[in-house]
Structures are given as structure tokens and as C-alpha cells.
Amino acid sequence: MEKVYQPNERRFVVVDGGPDDLDYTYECYSSRRARLSCGHHATPSSLTDWCSRQLKEGKSTFSCGTCGGALPYDEVRIKALLTPEEKEHFEKTLAFNATKSNPDTKICPGCNTSVARRQLSNLSINCRVCTKRTGRVFEFCWQCLKEWKGSRPRADRCDNAGCCNEALKTLQTCSVVEFENVKDIRNCPSIRACPTCGALLEHSGKKCKNITCARCNVEFCFVCLQLTSKCKTTSNYYKPCLIPMAPRQTSIPQWNKDL
């Protein structure tokens, strides 16, 4: 069902007619258009479609497909008329994509800027930009990306409902991969956390069982999770490992760049 703006919408500028600049699939939505912060116009449905496409591509921020201008999540949430279900999906996927592309930074839910985490034992993150802008200390949860609730420091979760580690959840629930050129390997998870830096990587099942992490540039065996240099002393790229297959990971390695 096509989304439509209310006739009395006052939160942002709405125009009648004109081009729907984000309708890349030619759905020809009839709703009025919202003026985006970049200056282009979009219907709530085309904005939802375009941002959903960016999520599928692994993006952790949104941008206009016409000019490349940044579209903050708060703007997308309001102007795309996201349903509660869409809002939950968008926020979880944004967090997962941000972790996958750069586990050291997250997008602050208050100002949409990148924030680095300094204390690995504390999920409560102080955003200096939001704190300065609002005049009060603004903290958000590194894990669920919502404004912090509960006592601190904590390393497991905050008190927001549904707070959980989406990366760990992905490792536990991802499908299995079937290797085309390596026999006798079954039920290997299709997504692994790099044993060196913790970045999430997915194996397509093609070619050999080893993979090189794009983040730390370290090559490891996707099956036993040993570094390739160690795994290949008793095996090779297309043979099963001598040691048993590593189980699904229950923790994500932290990258010590000084080693």
C-alpha cells in the first residue's frame, strides 16, 4: 500500500506534483513529495524503497541517489513515514552494517555522526556533539543504538527493551555455506567474525575454504578459523582441516592493532 502524507503535515515541506527523484524502479507513486535536505523531492514510498536498497547493499548511512547528499536517519524516519516494523528493521540493519564495515565506530542515533568506542568494557557511549547541542549529557548504547537506559558501565546490554548484540545474533542464526570445491565439509556457518579483527565476513562457497579479511588483510580458514599459515601446515586450500570445524562463534574478537 502506498504511503501518503497527511494534508496538514507541518514538520517539513510537502509539494504537489513534480518529479519523484528517488523513484528508480518507476513505480509512479501518486503521493505528494517531501523536500529532502539535499533539495530533491521524494514520496514516502520511494524514499523507503531507496533507503531499503541501500541497506541491502551494506550501507550504514543514507544518501540521495540523485546528488549523493547525506540523508540523516532521523530525516528518513520521518519523511519515509516508517512503520514501527520498518523502523526496527532500519535501525538494526544500520547498526549491523556499521559494525560490518567498521567495528570501531557507530552512528550516533541523536546526530548521525560517527562515534568511536574507547572502553571495550562499557557499552554506554557519550556523544560530545549531542551533549554540546542539547546542553545535557547524551549517552547511547553501542549495542542497540538507542539512548542509554540503566546503570553504567555495563558490557552486556542496556535496559532498553530488545537490546542485544546483533552481530552475535547473526553469527548464531546465519545459514550454512556449501563449498563447491571442498568436499566433506558440512554445516559450516556462512558468516564468521574474523579471528584477528572481529569484522563479519560472509563466504559465498566458491573457490577455496580460505578468505582474506578486507579490514585487517589477514587470511584465515573459514572452517577451522585458524590463520591460513597454520591451517595449511596440515591441510591445503581445498582439503578438509585436520582439526574439527570451529563451532558457531559466541564472542567477537577485539583487534589489537599494536600486535
Side-chain angles (χ1 to χ4, degrees):
M1 180 180 297
E2 182 178 351
K3 301 176 181 178
V4 296
Y5 297 122
Q6 295 298 319
N8 59 346
E9 180 61 69
R10 295 291 183 270
R11 294 173 296 174
F12 46 84
V13 176
V14 179
V15 298
D16 292 310
D20 185 355
D21 294 316
L22 299 186
D23 185 16
Y24 300 113
T25 56
Y26 304 103
E27 298 292 340
C28 299
Y29 294 117
S30 60
S31 170
R32 294 188 298 163
R33 286 82 163 108
R35 181 177 298 164
L36 305 177
S37 56
C38 64
H40 287 98
H41 296 158
T43 62
S45 295
S46 67
L47 180 57
T48 301
D49 294 344
W50 169 242
C51 291
S52 296
R53 174 179 170 181
Q54 292 183 88
L55 290 178
K56 291 179 181 178
E57 293 174 348
K59 302 293 179 58
S60 57
T61 58
F62 297 124
S63 61
C64 173
T66 300
C67 68
L71 297 177
Y73 169 67
D74 280 348
E75 178 183 6
V76 171
R77 174 177 56 82
I78 294 172
K79 295 180 180 178
L81 303 181
L82 295 183
T83 65
E85 293 77 16
E86 289 172 334
K87 182 174 178 289
E88 180 180 10
H89 169 67
F90 272 46
E91 292 174 355
K92 286 185 176 181
T93 308
L94 283 172
F96 174 71
N97 289 348
T99 301
K100 187 175 181 180
S101 61
N102 189 351
D104 291 336
T105 62
K106 290 289 181 72
I107 304 300
C108 172
C111 61
N112 206 43
T113 58
S114 295
V115 181
R117 182 184 183 190
R118 293 179 173 82
Q119 292 182 311
L120 299 180
S121 60
N122 186 14
L123 290 172
S124 176
I125 308 299
N126 185 329
C127 176
R128 295 180 180 179
V129 175
C130 287
T131 297
K132 183 177 181 179
R133 185 183 65 183
T134 62
R136 66 179 182 87
V137 175
F138 181 85
E139 295 176 311
F140 69 92
C141 177
W142 184 263
Q143 190 158 265
C144 69
L145 294 182
K146 296 179 181 178
E147 187 168 359
W148 183 267
K149 287 185 179 180
S151 60
R152 66 189 67 75
R154 286 184 66 175
D156 55 344
R157 55 164 296 167
C158 69
D159 286 347
N160 280 300
C163 180
C164 67
N165 190 315
E166 291 297 325
L168 282 180
K169 184 177 179 180
T170 296
L171 293 174
Q172 289 293 304
T173 60
C174 67
S175 61
V176 297
V177 60
E178 183 176 345
F179 293 95
E180 294 180 358
N181 300 308
V182 188
K183 297 181 179 180
D184 301 323
I185 296 179
R186 293 176 175 80
N187 298 320
C188 179
S190 61
I191 298 176
R192 295 285 206 179
C194 171
T196 298
C197 70
L200 298 193
L201 304 170
E202 185 172 10
H203 202 301
S204 66
K206 300 182 183 298
K207 299 183 179 180
C208 70
K209 62 182 181 178
N210 296 64
I211 194 169
T212 299
C213 177
R215 184 179 182 227
C216 64
N217 204 36
V218 172
E219 183 179 315
F220 67 95
C221 174
F222 213 77
V223 178
C224 68
L225 295 184
Q226 293 186 114
L227 298 185
T228 297
S229 57
K230 184 173 182 180
C231 178
K232 70 179 184 181
T233 60
T234 57
S235 180
N236 65 40
Y237 288 98
Y238 296 95
K239 287 179 58 178
C241 310
L242 183 63
I243 66 173
M245 180 175 65
R248 289 181 181 268
Q249 293 157 288
T250 57
S251 63
I252 297 178
Q254 299 295 330
W255 190 13
N256 187 345
K257 300 178 183 179
D258 297 327
L259 294 179

